[in-house]
Amino acid sequence: MSRILIVEDEDSIADLEKDYLELSGFEVTIENNGTDGLKAALGEDYDLVILDLMLPGIDGFEVCRRIREEKDIPILMVSAKKDDIDKIRGLGLGADDYMTKPFSPSELVARVKAHLARYERLVGAGQKTNDVIEIRGLKIDKTARRVWVDGEEKNFTTKEFDLLAFLAENPNHVYTKEELFRQVWNMDSVGDIATVTVHIKKIREKIEYDTSKPQYIETIWGVGYRFKI
Ligand code: CA
């Protein structure tokens, strides 16, 4: 049974979410402030977190960021303001999904199920002896460091491969160019982030059908990139 943590300070909303999720067979725990929510998320074994943005104690932005530093479980953020959704995206906190209040409980349940299923697939894929990521027509063999697009092998340089593999392993997370530079080039970025742009362009030329409408690596204007699944 999947365990879900709700971090929400409005009791009526938290109870409603809990009722619907329990009816769908989930085990649900509620924490009503950011401090306890973060402690529970990090200290216990939850499969998914539903995280309100405005919380007493530590706010949802910070809770999300700190969970993501240690765990890759799905995080679904909820907020009363539409503007906040853009802010959450822009900050690249690593949330997997966003919902604006009020939302229908059945939509929440549907999204929770979708994220859990996706996460289980990713975790399952990571446990194979061949460390292979397959998304639509793209196949990345991390063990052999080889890439195929629709069955046709493409040649990648070391850094192109590292960048593609990193993005594909962390789908739907928005990364800034600075973050990608640090991740892949393993040093502190000092204004050399143009390298990232150049590598993204080369990767797209190899994996995208139409580089002007990328289906894998999406540009988030003014922020960075994300791998779409
Ligand atoms: Ca709140």
Side-chain angles (χ1 to χ4, degrees), residues 16-224:
L16 185 69
E17 291 173 354
K18 185 172 192 272
D19 286 349
Y20 270 82
L21 289 164
E22 282 180 345
L23 279 172
S24 300
F26 297 110
E27 194 183 315
V28 181
T29 304
I30 297 172
E31 295 291 352
N32 64 9
N33 66 76
T35 315
D36 291 339
L38 179 63
K39 204 171 140 196
L42 295 182
E44 290 170 50
D45 213 9
Y46 290 102
D47 298 295
L48 182 143
V49 181
I50 298 169
L51 178 61
D52 184 34
L53 189 59
M54 297 308 290
L55 290 166
I58 309 169
D59 73 15
F61 291 116
E62 182 66 10
V63 173
C64 181
R65 196 182 61 74
R66 286 169 59 182
I67 295 173
R68 192 49 85 226
E69 279 176 359
E70 293 190 30
K71 297 200 171 189
D72 60 357
I73 53 171
I75 302 173
L76 207 164
M77 294 198 77
V78 295
S79 167
K81 286 190 289 180
K82 271 215 164 65
D83 294 353
D84 287 338
I85 304 290
D86 294 332
K87 202 171 163 193
I88 296 167
R89 282 211 182 96
L91 286 169
L93 298 167
D96 296 271
D97 206 350
Y98 326 89
M99 294 182 84
T100 312
K101 293 177 193 172
F103 47 78
S104 78
S106 52
E107 190 189 348
L108 175 74
V109 170
R111 291 206 195 185
V112 164
K113 283 181 178 170
H115 283 287
L116 285 170
R118 181 181 294 167
Y119 182 65
E120 277 157 21
R121 276 202 307 278
L122 288 173
V123 170
Q127 286 166 347
K128 282 179 192 163
T129 29
N130 283 345
D131 201 355
V132 173
I133 303 170
E134 275 194 274
I135 298 145
R136 297 188 290 276
L138 178 66
K139 181 176 165 183
I140 304 165
D141 185 331
K142 287 187 61 209
T143 315
R145 298 181 65 86
R146 295 169 75 185
V147 180
W148 292 263
V149 178
D150 291 332
E152 187 189 335
E153 186 166 6
K154 305 282 178 176
N155 289 317
F156 276 69
T157 66
T158 304
K159 290 300 178 195
E160 285 167 10
F161 183 89
D162 290 344
L163 182 56
L164 174 64
F166 175 75
L167 285 166
E169 277 183 315
N170 299 280
N172 293 334
H173 294 191
V174 180
Y175 290 100
T176 64
K177 290 173 190 174
E178 287 85 355
E179 285 168 333
L180 291 172
F181 189 77
R182 276 198 298 273
Q183 279 294 334
V184 175
W185 278 264
N186 250 340
M187 52 187 129
D188 280 328
S189 168
V190 192
D192 209 5
I193 55 170
T195 314
V196 175
T197 315
V198 171
H199 279 72
I200 293 279
K201 184 170 179 286
K202 287 182 178 161
I203 293 169
R204 279 182 176 150
E205 284 165 3
K206 294 172 191 184
I207 66 170
E208 299 286 358
Y209 301 104
D210 178 354
T211 52
S212 68
K213 296 190 195 76
Q215 60 155 336
Y216 295 112
I217 301 175
E218 185 181 26
T219 301
I220 309 296
W221 290 107
V223 186

